[in-house]
Amino acid sequence: MMIAAFEGWNDAGSAASSAVAALARAWRAREVRALDPEPYHDFQVNRPVSSRDADGRRTLEWPQTTVSIALSPVLGRSVVLAQGTEPSMRWRSYCNELLDAAEELRVGTVVTVGALLADAPHTRPIPVQTSSDDPQVQALLGIEGSDYEGPTGIVGVLGHLAAERGMHTLSVWAAVPHYVAQPPSPKATLALLAGLEEVLGEPVPTGDLAEDADAWQRGVDELAAEDPEIAEYVQQLEEAKDTADLPEASGEAIAREFERYLRRRGRDNG
């Protein structure tokens, strides 16, 4: 399985790239390939960063896409992680280079991770949608296809080209409150990791993200309290969200939460 996320248009609040980066750190992923940025990036859009190393020598850090491998601690299977910045050009070549690497590593399933700005209140659970146009994946995970039509980002192109190669594909997306779009967005990152946990079928480490998410929400609460118009808008979003979520108090939703609890309890006791 390959899990891929990219900074840029598909990454509201940096939630998606942060989720894959958190997984790479927790599972001690080992880099196996880096794509040359020269063919894919407009450096006037994504500029290299100048800095000094520990010896005082000046270095340049270029926009980079890496492919790494991690070993999941419970099931012991190899998980390939692709991380980078959405390229400026030659998207098909870029995705094909990534997919060539995936095939060399015997990847059969590509999971793309994204985050979008939405009319979601920060005081409620961040909505996460897992979808796939692959009938086998739909049947296995009990999910549906996406009905989205319109402009797409690099994750949409990567998933499409992966499916053309006969790989299984699915996507996991979080809805980030649009009025607090600036990164980081730890609550959305935490929600995406929970979504990936469902896909992987084993607990995903979250580190300090729960505490960071609580601190983030308190900070947004304080900002909203200082502006009556924002406070009123948040209340409207809360009412709309609560009304829409009434059917979610179902046996299926409760069962999903209980299954997640059992997996975490098994990890903690292991």
Side-chain angles (χ1 to χ4, degrees), residues 19-29 70-71 73 81 193 203-207 267:
V20 176
L23 192 59
R25 287 193 303 271
W27 286 357
R28 299 179 181 179
L71 192 66
L81 303 173
L193 287 173
V204 171
T206 57
R267 179 193 64 182

Side-chain angles (χ1 to χ4, degrees), residues 214-224:
D214 288 341
W216 175 85
Q217 182 164 324
R218 288 194 300 270
V220 181
D221 285 342
E222 293 173 2
L223 291 174

Side-chain angles (χ1 to χ4, degrees), residues 114 116 118-121 124-129 173-177 188 191-192 241 245:
L116 74 162
D119 293 332
R124 298 294 186 265
I126 296 292
V128 172
Q129 181 182 24
W173 281 81
V176 176
L192 281 171
K241 176 67 174 173
D245 282 354

Side-chain angles (χ1 to χ4, degrees), residues 2-6 110-114 154-156 158-159 170-173:
M2 171 185 275
I3 302 175
F6 304 89
V110 174
V111 182
T112 55
V113 186
I154 195 65
V155 294
L158 181 66
L170 64 151
S171 62
V172 182
W173 281 81

Side-chain angles (χ1 to χ4, degrees), residues 31-107:
E31 183 180 315
V32 295
R33 179 171 299 188
L35 275 62
D36 181 2
E38 189 78 21
Y40 306 121
H41 287 280
D42 178 349
F43 296 130
Q44 290 183 323
V45 176
N46 297 304
R47 293 180 180 272
V49 176
S50 175
S51 61
R52 293 189 183 274
D53 62 19
D55 298 324
R57 292 174 297 190
R58 187 167 296 281
T59 63
L60 282 177
E61 182 179 345
W62 298 87
Q64 195 170 47
T65 299
T66 61
V67 178
S68 57
I69 298 179
L71 192 66
S72 69
V74 176
L75 298 179
R77 63 182 174 189
S78 294
V79 178
V80 177
L81 303 173
Q83 301 167 262
T85 301
E86 183 177 71
S88 305
M89 58 195 78
R90 300 183 181 89
W91 281 21
R92 284 179 295 183
S93 298
Y94 177 87
C95 290
N96 281 325
E97 186 171 350
L98 274 178
L99 293 172
D100 286 344
E103 288 184 335
E104 291 174 11
L105 296 170
R106 299 182 179 180
V107 167

Side-chain angles (χ1 to χ4, degrees), residues 184-221:
S185 186
K187 189 171 181 178
T189 298
L190 189 64
L192 281 171
L193 287 173
L196 288 173
E197 185 176 275
E198 297 292 329
V199 171
L200 290 163
E202 65 176 279
V204 171
T206 57
D208 297 329
L209 270 174
E211 295 178 6
D212 294 342
D214 288 341
W216 175 85
Q217 182 164 324
R218 288 194 300 270
V220 181
D221 285 342

